[in-house]
Each structure stands twice: as structure tokens, then as C-alpha cells.
Amino acid sequence: MTQPPTEATLRRLERASGSLATRAVSRMDEELSWFRAMPADQRSWVTLVVQAGVASLVEWCREPGRPPRLTGEVFGAAPRDLVRVVRLKQTVDLITVAVDVVESHVESLAEPGDAEALRLAVLHFSREVAFASARVYATFAEERGAWDARLEALVLDALVRGERDDELPGRAAALGWGGVSPVVVVVGATPEGPGDLHQSVTRAARALRCEVLLGVHAEQLVVVLGGVQDLEVATARIAVEFGPGPVVTGPAVEDLSRAGDSATAALAGLRAAPAWPGVPRPVGTDELLPERALDGDPLARTTLSERVALPLQAAGGEVLETVQTVLANGGNLEASARALFVHPNTVRYRLKRAAELTGCSLTDPRGSWTLQVALALTHLGGERSLWH
């Protein structure tokens, strides 16, 4: 910096710091509509910052060789919460107004012949304040990013463990997660190689207009999507971000508080997926019910019983007997008709009825497999009424 202002000028500037801050805030109120809308306590924080800025300018001019400690001297005058409510661009606007006010009073504040030195000092100092502002916001963003990462990990861990935590909605809200519906969990292998996984998944989710939470749990990537409009399109896009191997989608649930159910089902499907050679990617966990049941998943066994075995039982003995006979004959309708002493069209009609009841068609390999596993597990469970 060139020759600093004289001590007499600095004393006058020091005495005027309060009135300068008041005038700067008044100008902000006139020119910045968003500032007018701020609560009184937040406006008072800005006044403190401006006043501290003028005081720091005086000290800096007295010790021109000292680097300005602006973060503590200026911004330390206001609570850290001010960074949350005032954006960086708005802070630049505040600095601009404050500097204009101080500059407009240079002639009246400076001793004779000292105006140019004071004006240069204000301009130099305002630049330092702008740089300090950027550092403050960068530090806050870094700390907020680290905190968000920890908070996101806590939320994901609770969902994966199936915990019903009363604090879960609040934690999710702190991450910017709104009350969106529906919510679905997608799981698969964590991708290998370089790249910012969090950024790439988040970018993909934002392109789908979805809220997103993600994390790595036991080497598996867990992605929670909220507000999914087209489940098939969304999961197909997100599946690209996973590593090699199966990608399994849990059932859609009403909101984040129920996402633990979707996560539990999706992870169960991921464990069982290797039993299906050529499994689609992605695949819904309900499509893996037979494999999940064989893997010992009690929910899958219960679901197969409710969706397949019990509807066949309720339909009457002829439908159930026909399904069993066709399964025993390897899907051959003519052989099954001879074994049942009925016309093949009767067999077809009964199979159509079974498909309507269960959603599983015996003419489809997956449907046949699902029916076979469901009935076998029901038999092993001792529900003899299905068979007699």
C-alpha cells in the first residue's frame, strides 16, 4: 500500500465508525429488497460486521505491514448462522454498499491533503474484505460438506439397519430432503476406479428430478431416490452408476420413514441375485422372490405364500391340481390333460385363471419357477390343506 492516512484522519474515521455503519445499513435498506425483508436480529448482525470492518480498517492502516486478520476481526462480530441466511453474492452487495458509503464521506473524514490516501486505503481494504468473504464461505461450505456427509451416512445406516428412528425425518430435512413421495432404494456393487461417485450419482438423480441420498454400506452402494416419477426410467439410469453385477430395486414406499423396508428388501434381493443366471440389470426385488425364499428370507416366503399359494388354495382344488400336474409334466399341456382326464382347453382355461390369481404364468419360465418354489415351500411348511 502507498503512504497510509495520518493518525489524525484515522482517529476521525474511528470516531465515525458507528455513524458510518448506521448510514451503510440505511443505504442497504433502501437499495437491497432482500435486506429489507431480513429479521431485525439478522440486520443487527450486519450492522456489527460493518462497524467491525471500519474498526479493522483503522487498525490495518496503523500497521500497513500487518496482514489483515479479517475473518476474526470483521466476520467474527456476527454469529456463524449469518453465513446460512446471506448468500455470497448478497455479501458482495453488502460490501459494495458499505464501501460506497465510506468513500462518499472520505472528504469530510480526512485531514487536509489526506483524502487520496484514505480513499486508496478504503479501496485496498475492500478488496481484502472481498477475498476474506470468499474464504469464509469456502470454509463454511467445506465444513458443511463434511457435516452433510456424516449426517447422510447416519441416515443411510439407519435405513439399512431397518431402524425406525424418530430423528430420521429431521436429519433428512437438514440435508435438504423434502417430504417427497414415493421413495425407492436401489443397491448394487460400488464402482471401481477414479471419479467422484457422490457427484455422479447426485447429478444423475437431479437430471431425473429426484431427491437422492447415497452411501457405501459393507462395500455395497445404497442409493435412496425420492419423488420418482417413472420408476423404470429412473432405476435404469441410476443402475449405470453402479459397479459390475446385479443392481436390485426395492419396492416403492410412501415416504422416507418407510424407506428401511425398501432397503431391507433390496439388500435381500441383492444377496439372492447370483442364483438367477443372466439376471436383468436392474431387477426388482419382487422378481427375485423365489431366490430370496431359497436363501432363507422369511419375508419372501411369506410373500410367496400370500401371493401364490393361498390364492390357488382359495380358487378351489381343480385350479391347484392343474397347476401341480402341469408342473409335474414339465409344462406339457396335452400330457397334463390326459393325466387329468380333461380337454387341453380346460387345462388352458385353468392355467389362465391361475395366472390371473397369482400373476405367474406357467407358460413363462420365471412364472413356472416361481409357482414351483412357492408350492414346494408351502408343502415344506406343513400346510397340508393345499394338497388334500
Side-chain angles (χ1 to χ4, degrees), residues 86-361:
V86 180
R87 299 193 301 273
L88 178 57
K89 182 182 181 303
Q90 293 173 329
T91 299
V92 173
D93 291 340
L94 295 177
I95 293 172
T96 301
V97 171
V99 170
D100 286 346
V101 169
V102 175
E103 280 189 310
S104 67
H105 290 78
V106 163
E107 296 293 340
S108 61
L109 291 170
E111 290 287 326
D114 217 14
E116 187 61 22
L118 180 58
R119 184 174 290 107
L120 288 174
V122 171
L123 291 176
H124 191 179
F125 188 76
S126 66
R127 185 182 65 181
E128 296 294 335
V129 170
F131 287 143
S133 300
R135 287 194 293 272
V136 167
Y137 279 85
T139 300
F140 174 77
E142 183 177 350
E143 293 175 353
R144 178 60 187 267
W147 168 249
D148 284 356
R150 291 193 294 271
L151 191 58
E152 191 171 20
L154 285 173
V155 172
L156 262 296
D157 186 66
L159 294 179
V160 170
R161 294 178 183 276
E163 297 176 2
R164 295 295 179 85
D165 192 340
D166 292 338
E167 297 180 0
L168 182 62
R171 289 173 175 173
L175 291 168
W177 185 286
V180 294
S181 180
V183 174
V184 66
V185 177
V186 187
V187 299
T190 303
E192 301 175 355
D196 189 333
L197 173 61
H198 195 284
Q199 185 179 34
S200 62
V201 175
T202 301
R203 187 186 302 115
R206 294 288 182 254
L208 294 165
R209 302 181 183 275
C210 296
E211 299 283 357
V212 63
L213 296 171
L214 68 141
V216 177
H217 182 84
E219 300 183 356
Q220 296 161 346
L221 177 59
V222 180
V223 178
V224 184
L225 298 175
V228 181
Q229 301 301 316
D230 189 321
L231 183 60
E232 185 175 347
V233 170
T235 54
R237 172 62 188 87
I238 293 297
V240 176
E241 305 299 332
F242 286 80
V247 175
V248 181
T249 303
V253 293
E254 183 177 356
D255 52 41
L256 189 64
S257 66
R258 305 287 303 180
D261 297 337
S262 183
T264 299
L267 289 168
L270 187 62
R271 287 191 298 270
W276 181 355
V279 60
R281 178 187 161 108
V283 62
T285 189
D286 280 0
E287 297 180 59
L288 287 158
L289 283 174
E291 289 78 11
R292 287 171 53 192
L294 293 175
D295 192 44
D297 181 1
L299 177 60
R301 293 190 174 206
T302 300
T303 303
L304 283 175
S305 176
E306 293 176 350
R307 294 184 185 178
V308 179
L310 293 180
L312 288 177
Q313 180 188 28
E318 290 182 345
V319 174
L320 178 59
E321 182 185 17
T322 300
V323 169
Q324 291 177 266
T325 302
V326 173
L327 288 172
N329 283 277
N332 189 312
L333 300 188
E334 287 73 14
S336 300
R338 288 194 296 271
L340 293 167
F341 303 104
V342 298
H343 193 276
N345 284 343
T346 301
V347 174
R348 293 187 180 91
Y349 171 78
R350 292 175 182 175
L351 293 184
K352 181 181 178 182
R353 177 62 177 153
E356 292 171 349
L357 292 169
T358 64
C360 300
S361 173

